[in-house]
Amino acid sequence: MYSLLFDEGWGAYFGELPREIRKRFKRRIGKYESFPTHTFRHAKHGVRYFIDEIGQYRVCFVSDEETKERTFYFIGDHKAYEKFLGMRK
């Protein structure tokens, strides 16, 4: 089992989501707590984040296998995701 942590900026991203996407994220908490890291896609371009998709929205997190912690940094649509990763201005 992984402990879930949330970066200080997470709340701002989460608060901007449509209600349905927030509900869908909350229903996936068990997945984030228990699924092995290799089941998640890794971001491209040497970025350290793992990516999960909820419809057209992306969730970015870092998984620390030593401490069994996952820290969530971002959730948003694809355009905001690219901006978050620095691929778009």
Side-chain angles (χ1 to χ4, degrees):
M1 293 292 282
Y2 290 85
S3 297
L4 305 183
L5 307 171
F6 297 88
D7 182 69
E8 61 186 42
W10 172 264
Y13 294 118
F14 193 76
E16 292 179 10
L17 296 174
R19 181 175 293 172
E20 180 58 29
I21 299 301
R22 284 184 277 182
K23 287 180 184 178
R24 289 175 64 183
F25 175 80
K26 290 176 182 177
R27 287 194 301 255
R28 287 186 183 215
I29 291 293
K31 175 182 178 180
Y32 298 125
E33 290 174 328
S34 61
F35 278 39
T37 301
H38 72 272
T39 60
F40 297 100
R41 182 170 57 102
H42 198 274
K44 299 176 183 177
H45 309 293
V47 178
R48 65 185 181 136
Y49 300 105
F50 286 91
I51 308 301
D52 190 29
E53 296 180 6
I54 302 175
Q56 297 297 313
Y57 292 81
R58 306 294 184 268
V59 178
C60 297
F61 65 93
V62 172
S63 187
D64 185 329
E65 298 305 310
E66 288 183 27
T67 62
K68 294 291 189 187
E69 293 178 338
R70 290 197 168 137
T71 304
F72 291 81
Y73 289 89
F74 172 82
I75 185 169
D77 65 18
H78 191 72
K79 186 175 179 179
Y81 160 73
E82 287 181 337
K83 186 175 180 180
F84 174 77
L85 292 181
M87 299 165 54
R88 179 183 288 219
K89 294 183 180 190

